[in-house]
Amino acid sequence: AGLGPRLVEKPVIRRGDRVMVESNGPGFAISMEMEAMRDADGSRIALKSPGGRQLVGRIEADGRVVLAR
């Protein structure tokens, strides 16, 4: 009996949730807590940094949030 591919649900992030966001590049890696500005839209999430800057994050399959480039 062939079972279809197993779907892995992404964690639900809602407006106002605090999430740890990662960013990295050549020679650096940082993580910072940011606030979700609205409910997650599929694999994208609108974020606000502690300084008020608005950014977009990508929700990875393992639940990590990474700054979109």
Side-chain angles (χ1 to χ4, degrees):
L3 296 176
R6 192 175 133 202
L7 297 177
V8 178
E9 289 189 32
K10 292 185 178 4
V12 176
I13 299 174
R14 303 217 179 269
R15 181 178 182 200
D17 285 354
R18 303 296 241 180
V19 295
M20 285 304 292
V21 180
E22 300 174 8
S23 182
N24 57 54
F28 78 94
I30 62 167
S31 62
M32 169 184 289
E33 185 176 86
M34 295 189 185
E35 181 181 345
M37 295 179 58
R38 54 179 124 339
D39 293 351
D41 178 18
S43 64
R44 306 290 260 186
I45 183 74
L47 302 163
K48 182 169 63 172
S49 73
R53 188 170 175 201
Q54 296 181 11
L55 303 162
V56 175
R58 184 178 67 244
I59 304 169
E60 300 291 314
D62 63 3
R64 292 178 305 122
V65 177
V66 178
L67 281 184
R69 294 181 186 214

